[in-house]
Amino acid sequence: MHVFVAGATGVLGRAVTARLLAAGHQVTGTTRTGSSSLRSWGATPVQLDVFDAEAVKQAVASAAPDAIIHELTALRGGTSADNARIRRIGTRNLVDAALLAAVPRMVSQSVAWAYALGDSPASEDVPLDLSAPSPRATTVGGVAALESATSEVPSHVVLRYGLLYGPGTWYHREGLISEVLRAGASHPAAPVLGAVAANDAMSSFIHLEDAAAATVSALEWPSGAVNIVDDEPAAARDWLPAIAAAVGAPVPPGGSGRQGWQRGASNGLARLLGWRPQHPSWRTGFFLR
């Protein structure tokens, strides 16, 4: 299969591209900066501004892929508004290009923490939290726009990833979580990473390589949304001390309570589709180098 990977040089995009190439697929990958690393891996690089609609149409038409994988984010120094802009405008441009070039299949990156309020891990039939107040409304609105646009492609899969951990991610020994835990709640990224208090707030994690494996498998899955999370949704009172130990940082203060959307997610559907995480729990995964 010829796969057009949008965001091929991002943390997850690199892992996905490597797996696609190892499986024998042809890859055209986009990069903002014209990085030559893609060519050295065996992929065809395309320098692309995803906000330039005409450029996106030309790039997709020229590649004429069998599928598009959308891994575009604004995580490096970005804000929730930056990510929402990519999800709204970048996805819209990719979908318009796909439809114009008659690309039959698209797989898009979404998140597993945009669900409506509840007391148990969310399955895919739980609606998105569209009534969320600001600032959460920015994230949920961007996710909803991404998922709605992706659904216009005839065959489409939306992957709702849990919090990514592993090399190059925020949740790693050399990642942003290490800096945040050492600085404490005063760090501006502490609320974003859920590193303010070891309380009852639930999160679902997924190792980078498990997310990449699911993404490649999703090229063969039926249309719809699928949670890609590990087997053990975790309260902050459990996972924060574990990752603090992994990075050698102080444990944040304890606490109680959670917001209704901090519920985690279930991976039952992904398992029915044949996917199994190689790192079923963050309890061991956090300590991997």
Side-chain angles (χ1 to χ4, degrees), residues 20-107:
L20 287 169
L21 293 169
H25 298 295
Q26 177 186 352
V27 176
T28 297
T30 76
T31 169
R32 299 176 190 173
T33 61
S35 169
S36 61
S37 59
L38 287 172
R39 195 177 303 279
S40 68
W41 301 344
T44 300
V46 175
Q47 187 171 354
L48 184 65
D49 176 2
V50 75
F51 297 116
D52 184 336
E54 289 306 312
V56 175
K57 289 175 183 176
Q58 292 175 17
V60 173
S62 177
D66 302 303
I68 293 174
I69 293 180
H70 172 5
E71 299 289 5
L72 295 164
T73 61
L75 296 178
R76 188 174 300 172
T79 65
S80 57
D82 292 330
N83 259 327
R85 181 169 178 250
I86 280 184
R87 287 168 177 151
R88 290 180 181 278
I89 302 175
T91 307
R92 181 71 267 162
N93 290 343
L94 281 172
V95 168
D96 287 347
L99 295 175
L100 187 64
V103 179
R105 188 159 189 79
M106 185 166 180
V107 177

Side-chain angles (χ1 to χ4, degrees), residues 205-216:
F205 288 89
I206 187 67
H207 191 278
L208 175 70
E209 291 298 335
D210 283 329
T215 305
V216 175

Side-chain angles (χ1 to χ4, degrees), residues 11 164-173 206-208 285-286 288:
V11 172
L164 288 171
Y165 71 93
T169 70
W170 285 349
Y171 297 90
H172 189 252
R173 294 171 189 270
I206 187 67
H207 191 278
L208 175 70
F286 278 170
L288 297 173

